[in-house]
Amino acid sequence: MKIQDFRRAKEEGRKLSMVTAYDYTMARIVNASAVDCVLVGDSAAMVMHGHPSTLQATTELMRLHTRAVARGAPDKFVVADMPFLSFRKGLAPAMDCVQALMQAGACAVKLEGLIGHEATLEHIIRSDVPVMGHLGLTPQSVHKLGGYRVQGRDSASARALKEQAARLEELGCFALVLECVPEELAGEVSAELSIPVIGIGSGRRTDGQVLVLQDLLGMTHDLAPKFVKRYLEGCSLMKDALDRFDAEIKNGGFPEDPAKHHRVAKA
Ligand code: KIV
């Protein structure tokens, strides 16, 4: 998938699939799948490092995860998240972060919000770095939002969100993530924009969907958000495998008798 394919997919009414990845092993599996696009989300701070929020993600952490994913998924369009405050401290530090992520192998960066960093966003885009926007529930603002809650419920905030989405498209973003907004609002934003809107917890009317890989594979221990669909019971499958490994060590089933292998090889 190339950058042009995002808009083309929307024009042709083809839905886009995106999934997070943070490490080489999982990225290789995603690379072999039909999924369109990979996001090295700052959710890495929570999913891979056990932090309570994404606020603990740093440029260095995102750079390391991006490098691993880019090596594992060379055939995918890799988007890397710019971490908390990395684009709010002035242009030079923001561009250092962009440089670190792009040199680590990202094809694009994703930035949450718009208000207060419009000029930075514009400069990144004018530097020929593709930018994916992110509106609605922006997890880096969790403390201001008062928790992980649905956004754009009232008409004033819905209108503000639509204006920001239009502005992101005008500035040159190639796609937009819309997180946890009512289905109707997500449908209206998707209809109004020419760039694809990729939803998460925002209903069925967006141009695509994104989920955290560990959520959809059932690998998360905590209760996943209601909108998540588990396509695998990863936790219990992996625990069962580990329990069998443990039992076989203790009952002598593993390692196996080399003579048995020898017999099989000879047969
Ligand atoms: O960091 C992340 O995983 C994300 C997705 C949930 C959209 O931004």
Side-chain angles (χ1 to χ4, degrees), residues 16-225:
L16 291 165
S17 57
M18 182 161 83
V19 75
T20 64
Y22 316 105
D23 66 282
Y24 174 76
T25 305
M26 297 304 263
R28 284 198 67 170
I29 297 172
V30 176
N31 195 55
S33 78
V35 164
D36 292 310
C37 174
V38 187
L39 171 66
V40 188
D42 59 353
S43 49
M46 301 169 82
V47 179
M48 300 305 286
H49 298 275
H51 288 299
S53 74
T54 59
L55 270 59
Q56 281 75 19
T58 61
T59 296
E60 184 52 14
L61 181 130
M62 294 308 300
R63 189 181 70 82
L64 284 173
H65 286 293
T66 302
R67 270 177 66 190
V69 170
R71 279 195 217 110
D75 306 322
K76 298 293 177 189
F77 192 89
V78 174
V79 183
D81 258 339
M82 289 190 67
F84 181 57
L85 296 185
S86 61
F87 43 94
R88 304 284 301 192
K89 297 178 185 169
L91 202 51
M95 294 314 288
D96 286 344
C97 178
V98 171
Q99 185 174 359
L101 298 178
M102 297 301 284
Q103 288 181 343
C107 309
V109 295
K110 175 163 81 59
L111 272 79
E112 292 186 7
L114 167 72
I115 312 291
H117 52 269
E118 206 175 305
T120 303
L121 218 143
E122 191 167 17
H123 186 77
I124 299 170
I125 293 169
R126 288 195 176 184
S127 307
D128 292 341
V129 173
V131 173
M132 179 179 270
H134 184 160
L135 294 176
L137 169 53
T138 44
Q140 292 172 13
S141 311
V142 61
H143 296 301
K144 186 203 160 197
L145 300 176
Y148 298 101
R149 46 181 81 228
V150 176
Q151 301 297 305
R153 278 192 191 279
D154 60 274
S155 56
S157 60
R159 199 174 332 110
L161 189 141
K162 281 184 177 179
E163 282 168 11
Q164 288 178 36
R167 183 68 185 134
L168 285 173
E169 170 163 332
E170 195 177 38
L171 286 170
C173 285
F174 73 96
L176 171 69
V177 166
L178 207 46
E179 181 162 353
C180 290
V181 305
E183 181 170 78
E184 197 184 336
L185 174 59
E188 285 168 10
V189 174
S190 306
E192 283 168 18
L193 299 191
S194 314
I195 57 171
V197 174
I198 302 179
I200 172 162
S202 299
R204 293 159 300 169
R205 291 168 53 190
T206 53
D207 306 303
Q209 298 288 332
V210 53
L211 280 180
V212 166
L213 185 67
Q214 279 76 357
D215 283 345
L216 81 89
L217 295 181
M219 289 169 66
T220 33
H221 300 274
D222 309 323
L223 212 57

Side-chain angles (χ1 to χ4, degrees), residues 240-256 260:
D240 287 352
L242 290 169
D243 286 344
R244 278 192 286 121
F245 171 63
D246 171 78
E248 288 193 0
I249 290 171
K250 288 165 186 170
N251 67 21
F254 178 80
E256 286 177 7
K260 193 171 135 197

Side-chain angles (χ1 to χ4, degrees), residues 211 213 215-218 228-234 237:
L211 280 180
L213 185 67
D215 283 345
L216 81 89
L217 295 181
V228 167
K229 180 168 176 185
R230 288 162 85 108
Y231 289 83
L232 190 77
E233 289 305 324
L237 284 171

